[in-house]
């Protein structure tokens, strides 16, 4: 397995992780990844990128089986509102493509929000920075690395 920037950043920060490859033909969405690894969908987290009216970007990390609540995320981010960035802006904004977007190692470190349910597990899974790769890491260590804030950012 070739190392990604995500893996290099974690190693430089001396954060333990496990990298797992999967077959993207089985699906690249977080629910498909959860099924592939026979993990509860609540433990596989997807990375979503949003934008505020101020043009400031926020990264939201939420469980595979949950929907981002833009109002709750905006409140936690202390902005008036948030909306998803258009898919065509994902690569130029983050350096990542759809299905391979990781909260670690974006072109620029954006303010990041992680759903508080990450605390329910000793480790969570996030994208490894490319399609077909997922990383298992401790949520608190991840949050410390990327200076993320925990909160309730999913719909009930």
């Amino acid at each position: 397995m070739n190392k990604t920037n995500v893996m290099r950043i974690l190693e430089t920060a001396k954060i333990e992780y496990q990298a797992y490859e999967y077959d993207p033909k089985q699906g690249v969405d977080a629910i498909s990844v959860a099924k592939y690894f026979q993990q509860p969908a609540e433990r596989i987290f997807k990375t979503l990128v949003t934008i505020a009216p101020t043009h400031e970007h926020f990264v939201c990390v939420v469980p595979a089986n949950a929907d981002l609540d833009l109002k709750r995320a905006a409140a936690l981010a202390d902005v008036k509102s948030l909306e998803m960035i258009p898919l065509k802006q994902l690569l130029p904004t983050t350096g990542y493509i759809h299905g391979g977007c990781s909260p670690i190692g974006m072109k620029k470190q954006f303010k990041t929000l992680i759903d508080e349910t990450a605390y329910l597990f000793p480790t969570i899974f996030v994208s490894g920075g490319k399609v077909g790769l997922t990383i298992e890491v401790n949520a608190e260590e991840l949050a410390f690395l990327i200076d993320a804030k925990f909160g309730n950012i999913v719909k009930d």
Side-chain angles (χ1 to χ4, degrees):
M1 166 181 340
N2 292 332
K3 282 195 180 170
T4 62
N5 281 340
V6 171
M7 297 155 104
R8 284 188 274 278
I9 290 167
L10 288 166
E11 288 172 8
T12 299
K14 297 187 178 1
I15 293 175
E16 285 186 34
Y17 71 92
Q18 290 292 323
Y20 304 97
E21 291 182 302
Y22 62 90
D23 181 2
K25 292 185 188 96
Q26 308 268 333
V28 298
D29 62 284
I31 293 285
S32 298
V33 173
K35 286 179 184 167
Y36 187 88
F37 290 111
Q38 299 177 339
Q39 290 290 331
E42 299 87 357
R43 196 168 169 212
I44 309 291
F45 281 67
K46 54 192 173 186
T47 304
L48 306 171
V49 183
T50 63
I51 189 166
T54 58
H55 303 290
E56 188 177 9
H57 290 89
F58 292 86
V59 176
C60 299
V61 183
V62 299
N65 63 341
D67 292 318
L68 175 63
D69 185 316
L70 290 167
K71 286 185 177 160
R72 285 181 176 169
L76 184 62
D78 200 25
V79 293
K80 183 178 175 185
S81 64
L82 288 174
E83 61 183 53
M84 297 298 298
I85 67 165
L87 190 56
K88 67 181 183 204
Q89 288 180 12
L90 186 63
L91 178 61
T93 302
T94 66
Y96 290 125
I97 62 169
H98 180 70
C101 188
S102 178
I104 305 165
M106 291 191 179
K107 281 181 163 182
K108 179 178 184 250
Q109 185 60 59
F110 299 112
K111 290 181 184 168
T112 304
L113 313 171
I114 301 174
D115 189 66
E116 64 193 7
T117 57
Y119 280 130
L120 298 175
F121 305 97
T123 57
I124 61 170
F125 295 77
V126 295
S127 172
K130 70 175 188 174
V131 174
L133 181 70
T134 191
I135 298 286
E136 181 181 6
V137 66
N138 176 278
E140 287 188 54
E141 290 182 352
L142 169 66
F144 180 78
L145 176 69
I146 60 175
D147 195 26
K149 201 189 289 192
F150 288 96
N152 179 0
I153 58 170
V154 297
K155 292 180 181 173
D156 291 328

mmCIF file with all atom_site columns, all heavy atoms in Angstrom, residues 117-141:
data_model
loop_
_atom_site.group_PDB
_atom_site.id
_atom_site.type_symbol
_atom_site.label_atom_id
_atom_site.label_alt_id
_atom_site.label_comp_id
_atom_site.label_asym_id
_atom_site.label_entity_id
_atom_site.label_seq_id
_atom_site.pdbx_PDB_ins_code
_atom_site.Cartn_x
_atom_site.Cartn_y
_atom_site.Cartn_z
_atom_site.occupancy
_atom_site.B_iso_or_equiv
_atom_site.pdbx_formal_charge
_atom_site.auth_seq_id
_atom_site.auth_comp_id
_atom_site.auth_asym_id
_atom_site.auth_atom_id
_atom_site.pdbx_PDB_model_num
ATOM 1   N N   . THR A 1 117 ? -20.869 11.957 18.446 1.00 0.00 ? 117 THR A N   1
ATOM 2   C CA  . THR A 1 117 ? -21.024 10.503 18.566 1.00 0.00 ? 117 THR A CA  1
ATOM 3   C C   . THR A 1 117 ? -19.696 9.782  18.353 1.00 0.00 ? 117 THR A C   1
ATOM 4   O O   . THR A 1 117 ? -19.585 8.597  18.688 1.00 0.00 ? 117 THR A O   1
ATOM 5   C CB  . THR A 1 117 ? -22.070 9.957  17.575 1.00 0.00 ? 117 THR A CB  1
ATOM 6   O OG1 . THR A 1 117 ? -21.679 10.324 16.245 1.00 0.00 ? 117 THR A OG1 1
ATOM 7   C CG2 . THR A 1 117 ? -23.465 10.494 17.887 1.00 0.00 ? 117 THR A CG2 1
ATOM 8   N N   . ALA A 1 118 ? -18.702 10.467 17.852 1.00 0.00 ? 118 ALA A N   1
ATOM 9   C CA  . ALA A 1 118 ? -17.367 9.860  17.696 1.00 0.00 ? 118 ALA A CA  1
ATOM 10  C C   . ALA A 1 118 ? -16.836 9.403  19.048 1.00 0.00 ? 118 ALA A C   1
ATOM 11  O O   . ALA A 1 118 ? -16.051 8.451  19.131 1.00 0.00 ? 118 ALA A O   1
ATOM 12  C CB  . ALA A 1 118 ? -16.405 10.855 17.054 1.00 0.00 ? 118 ALA A CB  1
ATOM 13  N N   . TYR A 1 119 ? -17.292 10.049 20.120 1.00 0.00 ? 119 TYR A N   1
ATOM 14  C CA  . TYR A 1 119 ? -16.862 9.672  21.474 1.00 0.00 ? 119 TYR A CA  1
ATOM 15  C C   . TYR A 1 119 ? -17.346 8.283  21.890 1.00 0.00 ? 119 TYR A C   1
ATOM 16  O O   . TYR A 1 119 ? -16.853 7.722  22.859 1.00 0.00 ? 119 TYR A O   1
ATOM 17  C CB  . TYR A 1 119 ? -17.390 10.672 22.509 1.00 0.00 ? 119 TYR A CB  1
ATOM 18  C CG  . TYR A 1 119 ? -16.615 11.952 22.618 1.00 0.00 ? 119 TYR A CG  1
ATOM 19  C CD1 . TYR A 1 119 ? -17.265 13.177 22.569 1.00 0.00 ? 119 TYR A CD1 1
ATOM 20  C CD2 . TYR A 1 119 ? -15.233 11.952 22.789 1.00 0.00 ? 119 TYR A CD2 1
ATOM 21  C CE1 . TYR A 1 119 ? -16.576 14.374 22.694 1.00 0.00 ? 119 TYR A CE1 1
ATOM 22  C CE2 . TYR A 1 119 ? -14.532 13.147 22.914 1.00 0.00 ? 119 TYR A CE2 1
ATOM 23  C CZ  . TYR A 1 119 ? -15.208 14.339 22.863 1.00 0.00 ? 119 TYR A CZ  1
ATOM 24  O OH  . TYR A 1 119 ? -14.511 15.519 22.985 1.00 0.00 ? 119 TYR A OH  1
ATOM 25  N N   . LEU A 1 120 ? -18.329 7.743  21.189 1.00 0.00 ? 120 LEU A N   1
ATOM 26  C CA  . LEU A 1 120 ? -18.894 6.443  21.561 1.00 0.00 ? 120 LEU A CA  1
ATOM 27  C C   . LEU A 1 120 ? -17.955 5.276  21.261 1.00 0.00 ? 120 LEU A C   1
ATOM 28  O O   . LEU A 1 120 ? -18.183 4.172  21.730 1.00 0.00 ? 120 LEU A O   1
ATOM 29  C CB  . LEU A 1 120 ? -20.222 6.212  20.825 1.00 0.00 ? 120 LEU A CB  1
ATOM 30  C CG  . LEU A 1 120 ? -21.348 7.199  21.126 1.00 0.00 ? 120 LEU A CG  1
ATOM 31  C CD1 . LEU A 1 120 ? -22.553 6.915  20.238 1.00 0.00 ? 120 LEU A CD1 1
ATOM 32  C CD2 . LEU A 1 120 ? -21.740 7.129  22.600 1.00 0.00 ? 120 LEU A CD2 1
ATOM 33  N N   . PHE A 1 121 ? -16.930 5.524  20.461 1.00 0.00 ? 121 PHE A N   1
ATOM 34  C CA  . PHE A 1 121 ? -16.047 4.453  20.007 1.00 0.00 ? 121 PHE A CA  1
ATOM 35  C C   . PHE A 1 121 ? -14.592 4.747  20.366 1.00 0.00 ? 121 PHE A C   1
ATOM 36  O O   . PHE A 1 121 ? -14.175 5.895  20.343 1.00 0.00 ? 121 PHE A O   1
ATOM 37  C CB  . PHE A 1 121 ? -16.167 4.280  18.491 1.00 0.00 ? 121 PHE A CB  1
ATOM 38  C CG  . PHE A 1 121 ? -17.576 4.046  18.037 1.00 0.00 ? 121 PHE A CG  1
ATOM 39  C CD1 . PHE A 1 121 ? -18.356 5.082  17.555 1.00 0.00 ? 121 PHE A CD1 1
ATOM 40  C CD2 . PHE A 1 121 ? -18.141 2.776  18.122 1.00 0.00 ? 121 PHE A CD2 1
ATOM 41  C CE1 . PHE A 1 121 ? -19.665 4.873  17.154 1.00 0.00 ? 121 PHE A CE1 1
ATOM 42  C CE2 . PHE A 1 121 ? -19.447 2.549  17.725 1.00 0.00 ? 121 PHE A CE2 1
ATOM 43  C CZ  . PHE A 1 121 ? -20.214 3.595  17.242 1.00 0.00 ? 121 PHE A CZ  1
ATOM 44  N N   . PRO A 1 122 ? -13.793 3.693  20.646 1.00 0.00 ? 122 PRO A N   1
ATOM 45  C CA  . PRO A 1 122 ? -12.375 3.918  20.930 1.00 0.00 ? 122 PRO A CA  1
ATOM 46  C C   . PRO A 1 122 ? -11.643 4.481  19.705 1.00 0.00 ? 122 PRO A C   1
ATOM 47  O O   . PRO A 1 122 ? -10.706 5.260  19.838 1.00 0.00 ? 122 PRO A O   1
ATOM 48  C CB  . PRO A 1 122 ? -11.841 2.544  21.315 1.00 0.00 ? 122 PRO A CB  1
ATOM 49  C CG  . PRO A 1 122 ? -12.876 1.556  20.903 1.00 0.00 ? 122 PRO A CG  1
ATOM 50  C CD  . PRO A 1 122 ? -14.169 2.286  20.741 1.00 0.00 ? 122 PRO A CD  1
ATOM 51  N N   . THR A 1 123 ? -12.115 4.091  18.509 1.00 0.00 ? 123 THR A N   1
ATOM 52  C CA  . THR A 1 123 ? -11.565 4.615  17.255 1.00 0.00 ? 123 THR A CA  1
ATOM 53  C C   . THR A 1 123 ? -12.703 4.790  16.263 1.00 0.00 ? 123 THR A C   1
ATOM 54  O O   . THR A 1 123 ? -13.752 4.149  16.389 1.00 0.00 ? 123 THR A O   1
ATOM 55  C CB  . THR A 1 123 ? -10.515 3.652  16.638 1.00 0.00 ? 123 THR A CB  1
ATOM 56  O OG1 . THR A 1 123 ? -11.120 2.371  16.438 1.00 0.00 ? 123 THR A OG1 1
ATOM 57  C CG2 . THR A 1 123 ? -9.278  3.527  17.512 1.00 0.00 ? 123 THR A CG2 1
ATOM 58  N N   . ILE A 1 124 ? -12.474 5.663  15.299 1.00 0.00 ? 124 ILE A N   1
ATOM 59  C CA  . ILE A 1 124 ? -13.420 5.839  14.197 1.00 0.00 ? 124 ILE A CA  1
ATOM 60  C C   . ILE A 1 124 ? -12.660 5.669  12.887 1.00 0.00 ? 124 ILE A C   1
ATOM 61  O O   . ILE A 1 124 ? -11.426 5.653  12.871 1.00 0.00 ? 124 ILE A O   1
ATOM 62  C CB  . ILE A 1 124 ? -14.115 7.228  14.241 1.00 0.00 ? 124 ILE A CB  1
ATOM 63  C CG1 . ILE A 1 124 ? -13.083 8.365  14.124 1.00 0.00 ? 124 ILE A CG1 1
ATOM 64  C CG2 . ILE A 1 124 ? -14.980 7.356  15.493 1.00 0.00 ? 124 ILE A CG2 1
ATOM 65  C CD1 . ILE A 1 124 ? -13.706 9.747  13.909 1.00 0.00 ? 124 ILE A CD1 1
ATOM 66  N N   . PHE A 1 125 ? -13.395 5.563  11.806 1.00 0.00 ? 125 PHE A N   1
ATOM 67  C CA  . PHE A 1 125 ? -12.813 5.426  10.482 1.00 0.00 ? 125 PHE A CA  1
ATOM 68  C C   . PHE A 1 125 ? -13.111 6.686  9.682  1.00 0.00 ? 125 PHE A C   1
ATOM 69  O O   . PHE A 1 125 ? -14.253 7.148  9.653  1.00 0.00 ? 125 PHE A O   1
ATOM 70  C CB  . PHE A 1 125 ? -13.409 4.222  9.753  1.00 0.00 ? 125 PHE A CB  1
ATOM 71  C CG  . PHE A 1 125 ? -13.084 2.895  10.379 1.00 0.00 ? 125 PHE A CG  1
ATOM 72  C CD1 . PHE A 1 125 ? -13.742 2.454  11.519 1.00 0.00 ? 125 PHE A CD1 1
ATOM 73  C CD2 . PHE A 1 125 ? -12.121 2.071  9.815  1.00 0.00 ? 125 PHE A CD2 1
ATOM 74  C CE1 . PHE A 1 125 ? -13.449 1.231  12.090 1.00 0.00 ? 125 PHE A CE1 1
ATOM 75  C CE2 . PHE A 1 125 ? -11.816 0.846  10.371 1.00 0.00 ? 125 PHE A CE2 1
ATOM 76  C CZ  . PHE A 1 125 ? -12.485 0.419  11.519 1.00 0.00 ? 125 PHE A CZ  1
ATOM 77  N N   . VAL A 1 126 ? -12.083 7.229  9.029  1.00 0.00 ? 126 VAL A N   1
ATOM 78  C CA  . VAL A 1 126 ? -12.246 8.370  8.116  1.00 0.00 ? 126 VAL A CA  1
ATOM 79  C C   . VAL A 1 126 ? -11.487 8.039  6.828  1.00 0.00 ? 126 VAL A C   1
ATOM 80  O O   . VAL A 1 126 ? -10.656 7.132  6.801  1.00 0.00 ? 126 VAL A O   1
ATOM 81  C CB  . VAL A 1 126 ? -11.727 9.702  8.712  1.00 0.00 ? 126 VAL A CB  1
ATOM 82  C CG1 . VAL A 1 126 ? -12.543 10.116 9.926  1.00 0.00 ? 126 VAL A CG1 1
ATOM 83  C CG2 . VAL A 1 126 ? -10.259 9.633  9.048  1.00 0.00 ? 126 VAL A CG2 1
ATOM 84  N N   . SER A 1 127 ? -11.737 8.800  5.795  1.00 0.00 ? 127 SER A N   1
ATOM 85  C CA  . SER A 1 127 ? -11.047 8.565  4.529  1.00 0.00 ? 127 SER A CA  1
ATOM 86  C C   . SER A 1 127 ? -9.537  8.709  4.699  1.00 0.00 ? 127 SER A C   1
ATOM 87  O O   . SER A 1 127 ? -9.057  9.588  5.416  1.00 0.00 ? 127 SER A O   1
ATOM 88  C CB  . SER A 1 127 ? -11.530 9.551  3.467  1.00 0.00 ? 127 SER A CB  1
ATOM 89  O OG  . SER A 1 127 ? -10.734 9.437  2.298  1.00 0.00 ? 127 SER A OG  1
ATOM 90  N N   . GLY A 1 128 ? -8.823  7.858  3.992  1.00 0.00 ? 128 GLY A N   1
ATOM 91  C CA  . GLY A 1 128 ? -7.362  7.901  4.020  1.00 0.00 ? 128 GLY A CA  1
ATOM 92  C C   . GLY A 1 128 ? -6.772  8.851  3.001  1.00 0.00 ? 128 GLY A C   1
ATOM 93  O O   . GLY A 1 128 ? -5.559  8.890  2.815  1.00 0.00 ? 128 GLY A O   1
ATOM 94  N N   . GLY A 1 129 ? -7.620  9.618  2.315  1.00 0.00 ? 129 GLY A N   1
ATOM 95  C CA  . GLY A 1 129 ? -7.114  10.611 1.379  1.00 0.00 ? 129 GLY A CA  1
ATOM 96  C C   . GLY A 1 129 ? -7.146  10.185 -0.074 1.00 0.00 ? 129 GLY A C   1
ATOM 97  O O   . GLY A 1 129 ? -6.715  10.917 -0.955 1.00 0.00 ? 129 GLY A O   1
ATOM 98  N N   . LYS A 1 130 ? -7.663  8.976  -0.331 1.00 0.00 ? 130 LYS A N   1
ATOM 99  C CA  . LYS A 1 130 ? -7.866  8.551  -1.711 1.00 0.00 ? 130 LYS A CA  1
ATOM 100 C C   . LYS A 1 130 ? -8.978  7.520  -1.721 1.00 0.00 ? 130 LYS A C   1
ATOM 101 O O   . LYS A 1 130 ? -9.263  6.870  -0.701 1.00 0.00 ? 130 LYS A O   1
ATOM 102 C CB  . LYS A 1 130 ? -6.587  7.991  -2.326 1.00 0.00 ? 130 LYS A CB  1
ATOM 103 C CG  . LYS A 1 130 ? -6.138  6.658  -1.785 1.00 0.00 ? 130 LYS A CG  1
ATOM 104 C CD  . LYS A 1 130 ? -4.929  6.138  -2.538 1.00 0.00 ? 130 LYS A CD  1
ATOM 105 C CE  . LYS A 1 130 ? -4.625  4.713  -2.101 1.00 0.00 ? 130 LYS A CE  1
ATOM 106 N NZ  . LYS A 1 130 ? -3.563  4.120  -2.883 1.00 0.00 ? 130 LYS A NZ  1
ATOM 107 N N   . VAL A 1 131 ? -9.612  7.386  -2.850 1.00 0.00 ? 131 VAL A N   1
ATOM 108 C CA  . VAL A 1 131 ? -10.677 6.402  -3.000 1.00 0.00 ? 131 VAL A CA  1
ATOM 109 C C   . VAL A 1 131 ? -10.073 5.015  -2.795 1.00 0.00 ? 131 VAL A C   1
ATOM 110 O O   . VAL A 1 131 ? -9.008  4.706  -3.328 1.00 0.00 ? 131 VAL A O   1
ATOM 111 C CB  . VAL A 1 131 ? -11.332 6.531  -4.399 1.00 0.00 ? 131 VAL A CB  1
ATOM 112 C CG1 . VAL A 1 131 ? -12.339 5.422  -4.628 1.00 0.00 ? 131 VAL A CG1 1
ATOM 113 C CG2 . VAL A 1 131 ? -11.991 7.897  -4.549 1.00 0.00 ? 131 VAL A CG2 1
ATOM 114 N N   . GLY A 1 132 ? -10.741 4.199  -1.988 1.00 0.00 ? 132 GLY A N   1
ATOM 115 C CA  . GLY A 1 132 ? -10.265 2.842  -1.730 1.00 0.00 ? 132 GLY A CA  1
ATOM 116 C C   . GLY A 1 132 ? -9.391  2.703  -0.493 1.00 0.00 ? 132 GLY A C   1
ATOM 117 O O   . GLY A 1 132 ? -8.799  1.658  -0.265 1.00 0.00 ? 132 GLY A O   1
ATOM 118 N N   . LEU A 1 133 ? -9.307  3.762  0.311  1.00 0.00 ? 133 LEU A N   1
ATOM 119 C CA  . LEU A 1 133 ? -8.475  3.714  1.516  1.00 0.00 ? 133 LEU A CA  1
ATOM 120 C C   . LEU A 1 133 ? -9.206  4.386  2.679  1.00 0.00 ? 133 LEU A C   1
ATOM 121 O O   . LEU A 1 133 ? -9.705  5.502  2.540  1.00 0.00 ? 133 LEU A O   1
ATOM 122 C CB  . LEU A 1 133 ? -7.144  4.429  1.278  1.00 0.00 ? 133 LEU A CB  1
ATOM 123 C CG  . LEU A 1 133 ? -6.161  4.423  2.456  1.00 0.00 ? 133 LEU A CG  1
ATOM 124 C CD1 . LEU A 1 133 ? -5.597  3.019  2.687  1.00 0.00 ? 133 LEU A CD1 1
ATOM 125 C CD2 . LEU A 1 133 ? -5.019  5.392  2.197  1.00 0.00 ? 133 LEU A CD2 1
ATOM 126 N N   . THR A 1 134 ? -9.269  3.686  3.801  1.00 0.00 ? 134 THR A N   1
ATOM 127 C CA  . THR A 1 134 ? -9.847  4.267  5.013  1.00 0.00 ? 134 THR A CA  1
ATOM 128 C C   . THR A 1 134 ? -8.846  4.125  6.146  1.00 0.00 ? 134 THR A C   1
ATOM 129 O O   . THR A 1 134 ? -8.009  3.230  6.130  1.00 0.00 ? 134 THR A O   1
ATOM 130 C CB  . THR A 1 134 ? -11.212 3.614  5.361  1.00 0.00 ? 134 THR A CB  1
ATOM 131 O OG1 . THR A 1 134 ? -11.853 4.386  6.378  1.00 0.00 ? 134 THR A OG1 1
ATOM 132 C CG2 . THR A 1 134 ? -11.078 2.187  5.824  1.00 0.00 ? 134 THR A CG2 1
ATOM 133 N N   . ILE A 1 135 ? -8.930  5.053  7.080  1.00 0.00 ? 135 ILE A N   1
ATOM 134 C CA  . ILE A 1 135 ? -7.995  5.114  8.208  1.00 0.00 ? 135 ILE A CA  1
ATOM 135 C C   . ILE A 1 135 ? -8.789  4.968  9.497  1.00 0.00 ? 135 ILE A C   1
ATOM 136 O O   . ILE A 1 135 ? -9.804  5.647  9.685  1.00 0.00 ? 135 ILE A O   1
ATOM 137 C CB  . ILE A 1 135 ? -7.263  6.487  8.229  1.00 0.00 ? 135 ILE A CB  1
ATOM 138 C CG1 . ILE A 1 135 ? -6.424  6.690  6.967  1.00 0.00 ? 135 ILE A CG1 1
ATOM 139 C CG2 . ILE A 1 135 ? -6.429  6.646  9.490  1.00 0.00 ? 135 ILE A CG2 1
ATOM 140 C CD1 . ILE A 1 135 ? -5.165  5.898  6.896  1.00 0.00 ? 135 ILE A CD1 1
ATOM 141 N N   . GLU A 1 136 ? -8.309  4.121  10.391 1.00 0.00 ? 136 GLU A N   1
ATOM 142 C CA  . GLU A 1 136 ? -8.897  3.981  11.718 1.00 0.00 ? 136 GLU A CA  1
ATOM 143 C C   . GLU A 1 136 ? -8.010  4.743  12.697 1.00 0.00 ? 136 GLU A C   1
ATOM 144 O O   . GLU A 1 136 ? -6.800  4.507  12.757 1.00 0.00 ? 136 GLU A O   1
ATOM 145 C CB  . GLU A 1 136 ? -8.960  2.501  12.103 1.00 0.00 ? 136 GLU A CB  1
ATOM 146 C CG  . GLU A 1 136 ? -9.573  2.237  13.449 1.00 0.00 ? 136 GLU A CG  1
ATOM 147 C CD  . GLU A 1 136 ? -9.607  0.756  13.816 1.00 0.00 ? 136 GLU A CD  1
ATOM 148 O OE1 . GLU A 1 136 ? -9.056  -0.072 13.067 1.00 0.00 ? 136 GLU A OE1 1
ATOM 149 O OE2 . GLU A 1 136 ? -10.184 0.447  14.870 1.00 0.00 ? 136 GLU A OE2 1
ATOM 150 N N   . VAL A 1 137 ? -8.622  5.661  13.438 1.00 0.00 ? 137 VAL A N   1
ATOM 151 C CA  . VAL A 1 137 ? -7.852  6.539  14.326 1.00 0.00 ? 137 VAL A CA  1
ATOM 152 C C   . VAL A 1 137 ? -8.703  6.918  15.540 1.00 0.00 ? 137 VAL A C   1
ATOM 153 O O   . VAL A 1 137 ? -9.940  6.905  15.466 1.00 0.00 ? 137 VAL A O   1
ATOM 154 C CB  . VAL A 1 137 ? -7.388  7.798  13.531 1.00 0.00 ? 137 VAL A CB  1
ATOM 155 C CG1 . VAL A 1 137 ? -8.555  8.654  13.100 1.00 0.00 ? 137 VAL A CG1 1
ATOM 156 C CG2 . VAL A 1 137 ? -6.372  8.613  14.290 1.00 0.00 ? 137 VAL A CG2 1
ATOM 157 N N   . ASN A 1 138 ? -8.064  7.253  16.630 1.00 0.00 ? 138 ASN A N   1
ATOM 158 C CA  . ASN A 1 138 ? -8.759  7.740  17.811 1.00 0.00 ? 138 ASN A CA  1
ATOM 159 C C   . ASN A 1 138 ? -9.324  9.131  17.511 1.00 0.00 ? 138 ASN A C   1
ATOM 160 O O   . ASN A 1 138 ? -8.604  10.007 17.024 1.00 0.00 ? 138 ASN A O   1
ATOM 161 C CB  . ASN A 1 138 ? -7.779  7.784  18.996 1.00 0.00 ? 138 ASN A CB  1
ATOM 162 C CG  . ASN A 1 138 ? -8.401  8.370  20.237 1.00 0.00 ? 138 ASN A CG  1
ATOM 163 O OD1 . ASN A 1 138 ? -8.480  9.588  20.388 1.00 0.00 ? 138 ASN A OD1 1
ATOM 164 N ND2 . ASN A 1 138 ? -8.858  7.512  21.121 1.00 0.00 ? 138 ASN A ND2 1
ATOM 165 N N   . ALA A 1 139 ? -10.601 9.332  17.808 1.00 0.00 ? 139 ALA A N   1
ATOM 166 C CA  . ALA A 1 139 ? -11.270 10.598 17.468 1.00 0.00 ? 139 ALA A CA  1
ATOM 167 C C   . ALA A 1 139 ? -10.653 11.797 18.195 1.00 0.00 ? 139 ALA A C   1
ATOM 168 O O   . ALA A 1 139 ? -10.529 12.875 17.611 1.00 0.00 ? 139 ALA A O   1
ATOM 169 C CB  . ALA A 1 139 ? -12.759 10.507 17.766 1.00 0.00 ? 139 ALA A CB  1
ATOM 170 N N   . GLU A 1 140 ? -10.281 11.621 19.458 1.00 0.00 ? 140 GLU A N   1
ATOM 171 C CA  . GLU A 1 140 ? -9.705  12.753 20.198 1.00 0.00 ? 140 GLU A CA  1
ATOM 172 C C   . GLU A 1 140 ? -8.336  13.130 19.646 1.00 0.00 ? 140 GLU A C   1
ATOM 173 O O   . GLU A 1 140 ? -8.014  14.315 19.550 1.00 0.00 ? 140 GLU A O   1
ATOM 174 C CB  . GLU A 1 140 ? -9.615  12.425 21.691 1.00 0.00 ? 140 GLU A CB  1
ATOM 175 C CG  . GLU A 1 140 ? -10.987 12.438 22.346 1.00 0.00 ? 140 GLU A CG  1
ATOM 176 C CD  . GLU A 1 140 ? -10.915 12.297 23.846 1.00 0.00 ? 140 GLU A CD  1
ATOM 177 O OE1 . GLU A 1 140 ? -10.196 13.094 24.480 1.00 0.00 ? 140 GLU A OE1 1
ATOM 178 O OE2 . GLU A 1 140 ? -11.585 11.394 24.369 1.00 0.00 ? 140 GLU A OE2 1
ATOM 179 N N   . GLU A 1 141 ? -7.542  12.136 19.274 1.00 0.00 ? 141 GLU A N   1
ATOM 180 C CA  . GLU A 1 141 ? -6.237  12.430 18.677 1.00 0.00 ? 141 GLU A CA  1
ATOM 181 C C   . GLU A 1 141 ? -6.412  13.097 17.315 1.00 0.00 ? 141 GLU A C   1
ATOM 182 O O   . GLU A 1 141 ? -5.685  14.033 16.975 1.00 0.00 ? 141 GLU A O   1
ATOM 183 C CB  . GLU A 1 141 ? -5.399  11.156 18.562 1.00 0.00 ? 141 GLU A CB  1
ATOM 184 C CG  . GLU A 1 141 ? -4.944  10.639 19.912 1.00 0.00 ? 141 GLU A CG  1
ATOM 185 C CD  . GLU A 1 141 ? -4.071  9.402  19.817 1.00 0.00 ? 141 GLU A CD  1
ATOM 186 O OE1 . GLU A 1 141 ? -3.923  8.824  18.720 1.00 0.00 ? 141 GLU A OE1 1
ATOM 187 O OE2 . GLU A 1 141 ? -3.521  9.010  20.860 1.00 0.00 ? 141 GLU A OE2 1
#
